[in-house]
Amino acid sequence: MTKKTLTKEEKMGIIEKLEAEQLESEYDAWIFTDGGCRNNGNNAGEHVLPTDEAAWAYVILHDGKAVTATGGQLGATNNQMEMMAVLESLKALEDMGLSQKKLLLSLDSDYVRKALSDSSDGTAWIKGWKKRGWRNSNGKPVANPDLWKEIDNEISKFSDLTLQHVDGHADSDGNNLADALVNEQMDEM
């Protein structure tokens, strides 16, 4: 994962800008999630080591305020952390009483978005996985089935949730902020 750090002033500037933009949007809340792992995939064919830092983060913008959270785990994969970011953001949104509101969740993990959301790319993969007893189209067990089941349970509580893919490390201030929070969490591990 590319290490991105932001100063406290840069983070506050991004948050203030995003808070104002969210208030003007059609959505009751904007959510940005990210996950990452250091040394994951840096060397072709190598797996995550038990000592590799991994972390997730979310940024929720609602009513002119920002809520952020992070978490980390040694030896987790990038995909696991991307999934945890979405799961933890959904739990927070439910706790905030927003499950029946119009929400936009932006994430840079196309893997997680395609798994959860119908799109021009096709039907959400999770629908097929459930029909096949949590097996993929090749008949093999889905990776991280417990996490997927928990996400599936949580996402079913939401009535108007749109998932949007954003390019990581690009022009999305919210994604860049979530990425910086992920890196800060890994630095603290």
Side-chain angles (χ1 to χ4, degrees):
M1 167 166 221
T2 304
K3 188 171 181 178
K4 173 75 175 169
T5 57
L6 296 172
T7 66
K8 185 176 183 178
E9 292 77 22
E10 288 172 320
K11 285 189 269 187
M12 292 307 301
I14 289 171
I15 288 172
E16 287 175 11
K17 177 184 171 206
L18 290 171
E19 287 170 345
E21 290 174 3
Q22 184 273 318
L23 285 173
E24 298 297 320
S25 81
E26 66 183 283
Y27 295 97
D28 294 299
W30 284 356
I31 307 92
F32 297 91
T33 64
D34 200 14
C37 174
R38 297 220 171 116
N39 299 322
N40 186 16
N42 288 342
N43 299 308
E46 291 187 21
H47 297 284
V48 176
L49 300 174
T51 55
D52 288 344
E53 298 96 357
W56 58 265
Y58 65 72
V59 178
I60 297 173
L61 301 155
H62 170 66
D63 248 0
K65 297 183 181 103
V67 176
T68 65
T70 63
Q73 177 180 337
L74 294 175
T77 66
N78 185 76
N79 282 342
Q80 288 169 327
M81 293 296 96
E82 295 279 5
M83 294 163 67
M84 284 298 298
V86 170
L87 176 62
E88 294 300 326
S89 71
L90 293 173
K91 289 178 181 178
L93 290 161
E94 183 182 11
D95 289 345
M96 294 168 72
L98 298 176
S99 63
Q100 301 307 303
K101 300 293 184 178
K102 186 174 180 128
L103 308 173
L104 177 63
L105 193 158
S106 298
L107 61 165
D108 65 6
S109 172
D110 217 21
Y111 170 69
V112 175
R113 186 199 50 85
K114 287 179 179 179
L116 297 175
S117 180
D118 292 339
S119 69
S120 60
D121 298 323
T123 303
W125 298 340
I126 200 166
K127 293 176 181 176
W129 296 342
K130 291 187 325 185
K131 286 180 186 174
R132 293 186 294 271
W134 295 97
R135 294 190 172 277
N136 64 25
S137 59
N138 295 326
K140 295 181 181 176
V142 172
N144 307 302
D146 293 340
L147 262 177
W148 284 121
K149 289 174 186 176
E150 196 172 352
I151 292 169
D152 183 50
N153 180 57
E154 199 62 38
I155 209 167
S156 71
K157 301 173 185 176
F158 289 79
S159 64
D160 196 358
L161 176 66
T162 300
L163 274 68
Q164 172 189 43
H165 180 257
V166 296
D167 290 332
H169 316 287
D171 292 332
S172 169
D173 287 334
N175 179 258
N176 289 335
L177 177 58
D179 179 72
L181 294 172
V182 165
N183 278 290
E184 286 175 12
Q185 177 67 36
M186 288 189 288
D187 287 345
E188 294 174 10
M189 296 175 72

